[in-house]
Structure formats: structure tokens, C-alpha cells
Amino acid sequence: MGYTENVKDILQAFYMGKIYPAIVCAMMFFSYMTATEVYVNVVNLVLLSIGLFVCDSIRPFIAVLPSYLYQFSMKTSMPTPEGLGALLSGTNLLLYIASFSLLAIALVTFFLRNGLLSRENLTSLPLKFSAIILSAAFLVNGIFSDRYVFSSTIYGVIQIVTFFGIFYLFYLGLKNDDADGLVGYLSYVLSWVAVLIFADTLYLYITSSGEFITDGILNRGLIIYGWGNCNTAGQCAAAVIPICFLGVIKNRGYWFYILAATLSLASAYLSTSRNALLLGAFAYVVSLLICCFFGARKARTAITAGSIVAVLAVVMLIFKDTTFVILNQYIDRGMDSSGRFELWDYAVMLFKESPIFGKGFFGTYTETYHLEWGFPTMLHSTPLQLLAGMGVVGFVAYYFYRICTFVPFLKNPNIAKTMIGGSLLVILVGSLIDNFVFYIPHMLFYPVALAIVYKMEADGESSKLDYYNYITRW
């Protein structure tokens, strides 16, 4: 019995500590370089399942979920019919079924073993009313329109899973954990994710830049990561910047978090996404100022950030040919709408035709604008996407939910909520001229971060993390 308990303690320390997230992100990058997603996935999910069998918190899942998509390589090209077909056929399919079945068993065992599905826990869930309303709106998107297809309802179910399924999974799963410790852990994990995104980006440029840069001209439409395109990657990088800076204030080794945030900004630049670069740069400057004002080692934080940025600037000068090609791409595009104005006019027309429930996610297609196979046409504006695809019902339901999610950030504000909220705002503001809230990559860390904010509020941790304490404690 003593030996068993000792082994369990060692495993819990491993899964709840800082080594496990680094290993997970290292595996994701190895998979990206070697196109061994199927086999790395088995190792990844087996390790995670063991963690869920021995831990009293779902914290190990925080290391896996936000980093999961970044394992899919350029060679596999997962979003295409060919890539997905190769991943989900033959032996590969059996391995995925086996590994995800093990994870499902581990999750069920975890919740039952820890008594997390009690009536008391379920009745105290936050956002219940807004979740029911928005979920219903997702289910009926496009209903009764001339373009309704059942695929629209299926995509609505996917939104329910990402908005609420993952949120409640973590809110309940973190019941036995410490809110203050979770804040530091989240910033640590997402800092490694920031490094992972940069590593994927750098590897893409090293191995494939000749495909999208020819004769000094960059064709950004060919910047395909395997798990997303240039806009997706840039926004994913920009969104984690404020939470990386939270680690500067909250955790030891402040230089690592500054480095991660700076590499995220570099990823946003390399992605060629104007949206990501503008929001990322703004988030970087504001977050750095907050750290210099509220955090420990104020002068050292500023000096370290300046030094890291200077080193990156020197690296960019060394590789000036690529740097100038990317910069020229930004200059040439300028403030061009990239067809957004036409899309927005089209969205208004669709809304006028089906104002109640909209045309549905898959009812907004056009011959000119469409996304990759399997994904609906997006109209590059969350408000207009809601009106065109889900009508007034979806628009009102979504913004009622959105207002409800602002409450814990405005109630008992503190530094942790501010920085986490900053990352979520990058997604939301970026989605005003895109649709990131309806894409999967961004929604793999959004509900986790939101669950931790609600965990802080439920546990009354705000007073331990307020601004006054951060100014005086040092």
C-alpha cells in the first residue's frame, strides 16, 4: 500500500508540475516535423489517460488540449479530404479509435472517482441560462431557409461542444484544484504553446518558404501549416500574448514568459496576417506596460523585453531578404479589405432574406468565397456571420451569452482576470473582421481560460490576486 501511494504521489507531481506540459509540446513539434501524428497521438493520449487515472484535477488536460492541433504537419494536411482520409483509414483509424476510447474511459473514471457529477455541482454551474439559449440557437441555425442543410445543425453542435462542452468539462474537472495555482499553470502552459507555434512557423519557413516565396514575391495563400492557414496561425499566436505576460507577474523565471510573448509576436509577423500583427503588437505593448507597473522586477522586465526584441531585430536583419519580402507584403496590401466589403454586403442580403433564423452556417456559401473542404463559408465578421447564418435569434442569443461572460471580469477585477481577459479580447476583437470564435483552434484554449476565471470567482480567490496586493506584495 505504501509503495502504491508513493508511486501515485510521484505521478501526481509529474502531471501537476511543469515538466509534463513541456514534454507534451515537444511531442507536438516532433510530430509536426516528422508527420507521425497518428503514433504521437497514441503516446500523448495514453500519457494523458494515466494522468487522469491518478490525479484529482483535470489539470493535465490543460497541457494537451490547447497544443493538440499543432501536431498536424504540412505533409499530412489534415483539413483536406486527402489528409483527413489518410488519418482516418485502416490502421490509423483503429489507433485513433483505441486512443480516444481510452481517454473517454479515463475521463468518465476521473469524474466518477472524484464525485464531480453530484447534484450540488451540477446545479451550481455558471452560465446555465445563456448556455441553453445559445445552444438552442446553434441547433436551429438556418432552419426553414431555402439553403438549410443538416450540416448546418452538425456545425452548430460542434459550436456547442467548443463553447460549453469543453467549458463545463474543465469547470467541473478543476473543482478540487487551487485557483491561484491554476492561473500560474495556465500562463505556463500557454507560454509553451506560444513557443510551439513559433517552432511550427519557423520550421514552415525553413522547409517550405521556396513554395510561397518566389522571385522576391510572397504568395500568402500558399502559407499552409497543416493545421491552419496564415490568418489562423497568426491569430492563435497573438491571442496567447497577454497570458504569457501573466506569467511574468505570477511565476518564477520571468524571462521565459517574456521570450514566449515575444516569439508569439514574431509568429504573428511571419504569418503575414494584418489582423494578428496589429492586435498582437497592441496586446504586447499593453501587457508589457502592465507588467512594468504591477509586476515584480519592473526594471528588469523592461530591460529583458527590450533585449529579446533587439536580438530578434538583429536576426531579422541577418535574414533581411525574407524580412523585406514579408514587410513588402504588408505594405502592398495596406488597408485593402481583401474582399471583406463585398462579403459584408452579401451577408446583409442573406440576412434580409432570412432574418429570423438566418441561412445556416452552410447556407452562406458563394461561388467566389469559400473555405476548405468540410468547413462553411465564413463572412469575416462575427456580427454579420451571426445575422446571415443564424438570424436575429442567433445574434441576440450570442450577445446575451457574451454579456454574461463579461460579468466575472468586471466583478472583483484583478490582474489575473485582466491578462486572461486580454487574451480572450484578442480573439473577440479579431473576430469583428473575421470569424475566429467559430474556428476550432482558438476555441481549444478559450473555454479553458474562461473556466479558470469562473473557478477564481467561485472560490473567492479575487482578493488574493487584486491590484493592490500586486503593487504592495513586492
Side-chain angles (χ1 to χ4, degrees), residues 159-413:
Q159 302 309 308
I160 294 173
V161 171
T162 56
F163 272 82
F164 302 113
I166 297 175
F167 170 75
Y168 289 126
L169 179 78
F170 280 88
Y171 182 79
L172 288 171
L174 296 172
K175 191 76 174 179
N176 298 327
D177 214 321
D178 168 60
D180 185 55
L182 284 169
V183 169
Y185 187 79
L186 179 68
S187 64
Y188 178 74
V189 169
L190 290 184
S191 293
W192 273 114
V193 171
V195 174
L196 174 60
I197 295 173
F198 178 76
D200 279 6
T201 303
L202 189 61
Y203 184 78
L204 176 66
Y205 267 83
I206 291 173
T207 59
S208 305
S209 60
E211 298 176 10
F212 53 81
I213 300 178
T214 55
D215 299 325
I217 299 175
L218 187 149
N219 183 347
R220 64 190 306 270
L222 298 178
I223 303 180
I224 305 297
Y225 282 69
W227 45 264
N229 62 19
C230 52
N231 288 335
T232 303
Q235 187 70 13
C236 285
V240 299
I241 289 175
I243 293 183
C244 287
F245 272 109
L246 175 58
V248 177
I249 298 174
K250 192 76 180 60
N251 299 338
R252 294 180 178 179
Y254 70 98
W255 60 269
F256 168 70
Y257 300 94
I258 298 174
L259 175 62
T262 308
L263 292 180
S264 280
L265 185 58
S267 298
Y269 173 77
L270 293 171
S271 75
T272 72
S273 169
R274 294 169 296 178
N275 188 336
L277 182 60
L278 288 172
L279 288 175
F282 181 78
Y284 188 96
V285 171
V286 172
S287 299
L288 178 59
L289 289 175
I290 291 175
C291 288
C292 290
F293 186 75
F294 291 107
R297 304 171 292 268
K298 299 176 178 61
R300 279 184 286 175
T301 296
I303 292 171
T304 302
S307 300
I308 293 174
V309 170
V311 170
L312 280 181
V314 171
V315 172
M316 292 173 69
L317 286 175
I318 294 174
F319 297 96
K320 60 181 182 298
D321 291 342
T322 301
T323 299
F324 291 150
V325 167
I326 298 172
L327 184 60
N328 285 334
Q329 188 275 147
Y330 281 106
I331 295 172
D332 290 342
R333 294 173 69 210
M335 298 301 293
D336 179 70
S337 71
S338 298
R340 280 177 170 80
F341 294 154
E342 292 80 2
L343 268 179
W344 295 345
D345 288 339
Y346 178 64
V348 172
M349 183 194 75
L350 294 177
F351 169 65
K352 289 179 179 179
E353 292 180 1
S354 300
I356 306 301
F357 297 104
K359 293 288 189 179
F361 278 108
F362 282 90
T364 59
Y365 60 86
T366 72
E367 295 181 0
T368 305
Y369 298 100
H370 61 277
L371 289 181
E372 295 88 352
W373 170 87
F375 293 89
T377 298
M378 290 295 179
L379 302 175
H380 287 273
S381 171
T382 297
L384 292 175
Q385 182 73 42
L386 288 164
L387 290 171
M390 299 176 64
V392 172
V393 170
F395 185 88
V396 172
Y398 174 83
Y399 281 103
F400 174 69
Y401 158 78
R402 184 57 60 208
I403 291 170
C404 290
T405 61
F406 285 154
V407 172
F409 293 95
L410 300 176
K411 182 181 179 182
N412 302 317

Side-chain angles (χ1 to χ4, degrees), residues 180 411-414 417 456-457 459-470 473:
D180 185 55
K411 182 181 179 182
N412 302 317
N414 61 58
K417 290 181 181 179
M456 291 165 55
E457 196 65 29
D459 290 0
E461 291 288 334
S462 296
S463 60
K464 297 181 182 179
L465 300 164
D466 64 23
Y467 286 103
Y468 176 77
N469 282 330
Y470 268 101
R473 66 186 287 190

